[in-house]
Amino acid sequence: MKLKDLKKDFKTKLAITYPNEEILSIFKFLCEKYLNISPTKLLLAGEELINKKQVDMFSKAIVRLLNEEPIQYILKTTSFYGLEFICTPSALIPRPETEELVDWIIKSETNEITILDIGTGTGCISVSLANHNGFVLDALDISSSALELAKQNAKKNKVNINFIEADILEYKSDKKYDLIVSNPPYVRNLEKKKMQNNVLHFEPELALFVEDDDPLVFYRAILKFAHNNLIDKGKIYFEINEYLYNDIKGLLIFFGYVNIELKKDSFGKFRFVKAAKYAKID
Ligand code: GLN
């Protein structure tokens, strides 16, 4: 089979489920992974012969895509902040918004600091931060399979991170951090109806959802932990639910935080907050 025919077949089969632009972008990723054809070479391609085994790989991918499985799980990798991360259903797929959170920290924090990433998942936040000079990282998650994945990602990107398997709702430690960052579960069950099948059917619920009547449970637990484990004047950075920014701001004020700054993501939604721990005057 020729590459141009493979492409035609791919487009026809996926047309009921995906817009054309997305099909072409997925095709590009698959060509890179399965055929080793770079996106620039792909523009000129067409007459190359694709063998039976390769055609089979595309057919299997089509079945999974029609089932609305995320392309990142099919490819088993994604890129985040210029690095490559292994992706499995053990953790949330790294999102472009979260890259903006990492970027905010890297651009704002210039000193040598010790950072704790709570709910690390794939490790995308901690690995990208640890890739920067001067940042020393601990990363915590309740899920042992997520931590296994985060460890692989740290190794793949050649960074050192101290991993901690624990539930932040109960975790206690004597260690003091200069900065705590977290992208905890923050989607309320009531928001499920607005979500896409690729998220709902494939990504881990544990990493996404919180109860409608207590959506800030993890933020509260993190701020309680920070009471003893974040230095005075230490910083908190959170990714947040766009509908709950006022509640989160209120919680930070309640816990005595100052210099609270909300920030919108590139879609114009309040998605991040940073704040500093009030320095106690004894
Ligand atoms: N932003 C993610 C989503 O909408 C949720 C991330 C999270 O719960 N921390 O799918």
Side-chain angles (χ1 to χ4, degrees), residues 1-63:
M1 188 177 203
K2 284 184 177 172
L3 180 59
K4 63 178 181 194
D5 299 317
L6 181 82
K7 184 172 172 183
K8 213 165 136 198
D9 181 62
F10 191 81
K11 274 167 73 174
T12 319
K13 288 191 171 135
L14 291 175
I16 32 164
T17 313
Y18 296 90
N20 195 33
E21 236 172 77
E22 201 174 338
I23 299 177
L24 292 176
S25 138
I26 295 173
F27 187 70
K28 196 179 71 186
F29 283 125
L30 291 176
C31 284
E32 205 168 0
K33 174 106 178 178
Y34 296 160
L35 309 176
N36 210 6
I37 299 181
S38 71
T40 32
K41 258 171 70 192
L42 193 63
L43 286 173
L44 311 166
E47 299 302 319
E48 291 81 348
L49 284 177
I50 312 300
N51 67 37
K52 166 97 177 59
K53 207 173 136 218
Q54 292 166 327
V55 175
D56 273 357
M57 291 201 282
F58 276 84
S59 303
K60 285 194 181 122
I62 289 171
V63 173

Side-chain angles (χ1 to χ4, degrees), residues 187-194 209-213 243:
V187 182
R188 289 165 297 176
N189 285 312
L190 63 88
E191 291 168 56
K192 269 189 184 167
K193 14 182 207 305
K194 283 186 288 186
F209 296 108
V210 283
E211 296 300 326
D212 293 346
D213 60 1
Y243 304 111

Side-chain angles (χ1 to χ4, degrees), residues 92 95 97-98 183-187 195 199 203 207-209 219 239 271:
L92 219 60
R95 308 281 202 271
E97 298 91 294
T98 310
N183 173 19
Y186 60 63
V187 182
M195 293 174 76
V199 178
E203 295 199 81
L208 283 168
F209 296 108
Y219 297 93
E239 184 172 317
R271 183 66 65 204

